[in-house]
């Protein structure tokens, strides 16, 4: 159970399902309920394929480029830290043209399967194995799908400002995970 939580929580934080609700609603506002439902499935499926592909091919790509997991932990941690800080001080999601929000791009990539999630997938699979990371991804993406399908109800229930506040709290946790990745990467390089 501990190994599952150690893979589930970082992925939950980096995916930030509740933080995606306001964006999803804003950019699907003109669409019918049926179209929103289709976009939810499309985005989660595409993000799943991207993450699983990166989990299995990422290490091979590193081998070709001469990059170690420790190098990726440091670089990924720095990227996560920058993204978390940008999200905390700027409105909206960083590096996203919100007016172009549609299904696969940029909803699935880079919002769901962005640098934060991909970094976590690779690092977690190296430390906890592919099976545990894939299980945690599956549970996180099932939760994400349920949240996107219930986005209207969630927004009415808790309010848009509460969702935004929760998203900012998640970004603080992401910054802490980023610092942890950088620290572990540096320790791995020094040892």
């Amino acid at each position: 159970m501990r190994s599952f939580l150690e893979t589930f929580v970082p992925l939950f934080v980096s995916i930030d399902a509740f933080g995606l609700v306001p964006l999803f609603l804003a950019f699907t506002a003109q669409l019918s309920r049926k179209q929103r439902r289709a976009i939810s499935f499309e985005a989660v499926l595409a993000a799943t394929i991207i993450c699983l592909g990166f989990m299995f091919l990422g290490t091979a790509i590193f081998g070709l480029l001469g990059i170690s997991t420790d190098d990726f932990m440091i670089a990924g941690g720095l990227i996560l830290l920058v993204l978390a800080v940008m999200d905390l001080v700027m409105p909206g999601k960083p590096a996203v043209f919100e007016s172009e929000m549609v299904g696969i791009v940029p909803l699935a990539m880079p919002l769901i399967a962005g640098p934060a999630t991909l970094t976590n997938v690779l690092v977690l699979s190296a430390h906890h194995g592919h099976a545990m990371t894939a299980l945690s991804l599956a549970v996180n993406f099932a939760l994400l799908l349920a949240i996107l399908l219930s986005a209207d109800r969630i927004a009415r229930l808790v309010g848009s400002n509460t969702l935004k506040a929760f998203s900012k709290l998640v970004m603080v946790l992401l910054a802490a995970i980023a610092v942890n990745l950088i620290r572990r990467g540096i320790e791995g390089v020094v040892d």
Side-chain angles (χ1 to χ4, degrees):
M1 184 64 168
R2 180 179 175 178
S3 186
F4 172 75
L5 289 175
E6 287 176 353
T7 55
F8 175 82
V9 172
L11 289 170
F12 178 79
V13 168
S14 63
I15 291 168
D16 188 16
F18 288 103
L20 288 171
V21 170
L23 289 173
F24 178 78
L25 289 173
F27 299 108
T28 59
Q30 304 302 321
L31 301 177
S32 69
R33 187 173 183 177
K34 184 178 179 181
Q35 289 171 316
R36 279 186 185 181
R37 184 176 171 82
I39 286 174
S40 299
F41 280 100
E42 179 182 59
V44 172
L45 177 62
T48 302
I49 292 168
I50 291 166
C51 288
L52 290 175
F54 195 74
M55 182 172 67
F56 289 108
L57 299 176
T59 306
I61 293 169
F62 285 179
L64 290 172
L65 298 175
I67 299 171
S68 72
T69 304
D70 293 325
D71 297 333
F72 192 71
M73 285 175 69
I74 295 168
L78 289 171
I79 290 169
L80 293 181
L81 186 59
V82 168
L83 289 173
V85 170
M86 285 176 64
D87 191 273
L88 287 167
V89 299
M90 295 172 60
K93 292 289 183 187
V96 175
F97 297 105
E98 295 180 350
S99 62
E100 299 173 8
M101 182 78 165
V102 192
I104 296 174
V105 177
L107 188 56
M109 177 77 174
L111 285 177
I112 299 170
T117 304
L118 294 177
T119 299
N120 277 324
V121 163
L122 200 58
V123 171
L124 292 171
S125 65
H127 290 284
H128 295 280
H130 292 322
M132 188 58 67
T133 305
L135 174 63
S136 295
L137 269 174
V139 173
N140 268 293
F141 284 146
L143 284 172
L144 174 62
L145 183 60
I147 289 167
L148 291 180
L149 292 173
S150 304
D152 288 326
R153 282 174 276 178
I154 292 170
R156 278 194 307 272
L157 182 66
V158 300
S160 173
N161 289 335
T162 303
L163 286 172
K164 289 175 185 172
F166 182 75
S167 180
K168 296 302 179 186
L169 173 63
V170 167
M171 286 303 113
V172 172
L173 295 173
L174 183 62
I177 289 171
V179 170
N180 179 274
L181 284 174
I182 294 166
R183 179 184 51 78
R184 287 178 25 215
I186 290 171
E187 288 172 355
V189 169
V190 171
D191 286 343

